[in-house]
């Protein structure tokens, strides 16, 4: 086999791998989307997109695109001779084989997985024998996706080893721990960017409410200026909610792509009282001159760009009220320490 041109596909065996035994015993892989019918007549990606839209009229464009992409790949891109992998999460083993047949539609009698291809299975690989990078590459939740060549080559080496040689991890525990930590940092960075995308998509009123909610999560009571008000402050935060108890924080929120310059900071500094504290939130960031202006201002002022805002939100998210969490709904992920 020419390793430079080999193609490897992952085809998941259903939720929790419940189809794994059928895949193995019947020498095949299957996918769902039975509502789209027989896919033999569909030729181009656009045809699959139309079929998905007709079968699932209430789904979003992004979901339909994902459905169309995966069915198109299974029917038109996957070829006889390609390599295919599936996974049994309960036993933590991968099954590696070769695609042995063209796409076929098995009919409605086969239930919700009528789309199938024959496979010649070659052997199994224990997940514990894989490198951390390979495990990460194989972790996508998609039903079907292409596996990087180097991961496929790693699977090839392991499937050829005698039975019983993979009882312990293929790499030392300390190396695995370091690599897991590196993967965690990568996922953290990706999550941070996705959350910033979500926050950036809020409109101005929602952004103002998000900043107010963050301050409430930090222990302050807030008063939000009504829409259309232009009095130099969008939010006033204080411990007592009335602004009599120090510190009183005067907040300006600017939600646009342009960076705030020194003139805007000078204008903002002209409004608060001498004992006030200032918070200027700008999702477009700040110029160097603006930061200098803030440093020498007559009252203490903190500048918060989008990155600072999201990091503060993550730090205080669990203390935020339901109104604030609905603006940016987040899901907790547990990771090995």
């Amino acid at each position: 086999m020419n390793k430079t041109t080999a193609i490897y596909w992952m085809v998941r065996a259903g939720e929790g791998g419940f189809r794994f035994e059928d895949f193995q015993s019947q020498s095949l892989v299957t996918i769902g989307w039975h509502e789209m019918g027989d896919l033999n007549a569909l030729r181009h990606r656009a045809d699959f997109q139309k079929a998905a839209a007709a079968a699932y009229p209430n789904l979003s464009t992004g979901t339909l695109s994902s459905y169309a992409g995966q069915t198109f790949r299974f029917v038109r891109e996957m070829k006889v001779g390609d390599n295919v992998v599936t996974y049994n999460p309960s036993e933590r083993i991968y099954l590696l084989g070769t695609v042995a047949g063209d796409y076929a539609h098995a009919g409605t009698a086969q239930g919700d997985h009528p789309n199938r291809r024959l496979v010649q299975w070659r052997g199994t690989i224990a997940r514990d024998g894989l490198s951390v990078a390979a495990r990460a590459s194989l972790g996508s939740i998609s039903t079907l996706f292409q596996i990087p060549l180097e991961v496929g080559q790693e699977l090839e080496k392991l499937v050829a080893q005698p039975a019983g040689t993979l009882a312990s991890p293929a790499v030392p525990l300390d190396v695995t721990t370091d690599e897991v930590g590196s993967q965690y940092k990568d996922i953290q960075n990706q999550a941070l960017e996705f959350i910033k995308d979500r926050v950036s998509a809020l409109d101005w009123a929602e952004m103002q409410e998000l900043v107010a909610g963050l301050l409430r999560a930090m222990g302050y009571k807030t008063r939000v200026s009504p829409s259309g008000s232009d009095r130099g402050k969008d939010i006033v935060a204080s411990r007592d909610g009335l602004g009599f108890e120090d510190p009183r924080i005067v907040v300006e929120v600017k939600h646009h792509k342009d960076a705030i310059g020194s003139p805007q900071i000078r204008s903002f500094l002209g409004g608060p009282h001498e004992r006030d504290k200032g918070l200027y939130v700008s999702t477009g960031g700040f110029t160097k001159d603006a930061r200098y202006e803030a440093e020498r201002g007559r009252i203490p002022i903190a500048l918060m760009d989008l990155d600072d805002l999201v990091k503060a939100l993550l730090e205080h998210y669990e203390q935020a009220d339901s109104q604030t969490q609905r603006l940016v709904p987040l899901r907790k992920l547990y990771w090995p320490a």
Side-chain angles (χ1 to χ4, degrees), residues 21-313:
E21 291 184 3
D22 289 341
F23 281 15
Q24 188 172 28
S25 63
Q26 298 177 32
S27 299
L28 51 70
V29 288
T30 69
I31 60 172
W33 297 292
H34 63 283
E35 297 91 344
M36 292 173 63
D38 190 338
L39 306 176
N40 270 299
L42 307 181
R43 294 293 168 186
H44 305 290
R45 176 69 179 263
D47 299 328
F48 285 82
Q49 187 81 23
K50 291 178 182 177
Y56 312 102
N58 297 322
L59 297 184
S60 68
T61 301
T63 299
L64 293 175
S65 181
S66 174
Y67 286 5
Q70 291 181 78
T71 51
F72 173 76
R73 286 189 145 195
F74 189 79
V75 176
R76 295 300 167 204
E77 290 190 350
M78 186 181 287
K79 305 295 183 184
V80 173
D82 286 354
N83 302 284
V84 64
V85 181
T86 194
Y87 182 54
N88 183 340
S90 63
E91 298 183 22
R92 290 171 54 80
I93 58 172
Y94 293 94
L95 194 58
L96 175 64
T98 305
V99 178
D102 292 326
Y103 163 77
H105 189 270
T108 56
Q110 297 301 320
D112 60 358
H113 265 233
N115 303 302
R116 52 190 56 201
R117 281 178 175 271
L118 295 177
V119 175
Q120 182 178 353
W121 297 114
R122 305 203 302 274
T124 59
I125 302 102
R127 180 172 169 84
D128 286 342
L130 294 171
S131 67
V132 173
R135 297 179 207 180
S137 294
L138 295 168
S140 172
I141 63 172
S142 298
T143 297
L144 181 144
F145 58 94
Q146 193 168 336
I147 298 170
L149 177 60
E150 60 272 17
V151 175
Q153 291 173 337
E154 184 175 336
L155 292 169
E156 294 283 2
K157 292 178 182 178
L158 294 175
V159 79
Q161 292 185 14
T165 60
L166 301 178
S168 58
V171 290
L173 181 60
D174 56 342
V175 175
T176 301
T177 302
D178 289 344
E179 291 187 14
V180 168
S182 178
Q183 292 285 341
Y184 178 59
K185 289 180 181 178
D186 288 343
I187 290 176
Q188 272 189 314
N189 290 334
Q190 291 180 43
L192 181 63
E193 291 304 317
F194 280 127
I195 296 169
K196 285 162 65 175
D197 291 341
R198 187 66 175 262
V199 171
S200 185
L202 298 175
D203 62 29
W204 180 85
E206 291 170 330
M207 183 65 70
Q208 183 175 252
E209 290 296 335
L210 179 66
V211 174
L214 171 60
L215 289 166
R216 291 194 298 272
M218 297 170 70
Y220 294 94
K221 297 180 180 180
T222 60
R223 288 187 292 117
V224 180
S225 297
S227 178
S229 176
D230 188 14
R231 301 177 182 175
K233 55 182 181 293
D234 297 317
I235 304 165
V236 175
S238 60
R239 297 296 184 185
D240 61 359
L242 299 173
F244 296 129
E245 182 179 341
D246 291 335
R248 191 181 87 140
I249 302 174
V250 178
V251 186
E252 179 82 3
V253 180
K254 294 296 184 185
H255 184 33
H256 48 55
K257 295 182 179 180
D258 297 330
I260 293 298
S262 56
Q264 292 98 322
I265 299 298
R266 282 195 297 271
S267 176
F268 172 68
L269 287 169
H273 301 146
E274 290 295 334
R275 296 177 62 183
D276 287 343
K277 307 294 187 292
L279 173 62
Y280 205 118
V281 180
S282 167
T283 56
F286 301 90
T287 66
K288 182 179 179 180
D289 288 342
R291 294 187 181 278
Y292 175 71
E293 192 72 37
E295 288 178 1
R296 64 189 187 94
R298 63 181 183 84
I299 65 168
I301 175 174
L303 303 184
M304 180 178 282
D305 58 19
L306 181 60
D307 195 56
D308 297 327
L309 174 61
V310 170
K311 288 177 180 177
L313 177 64

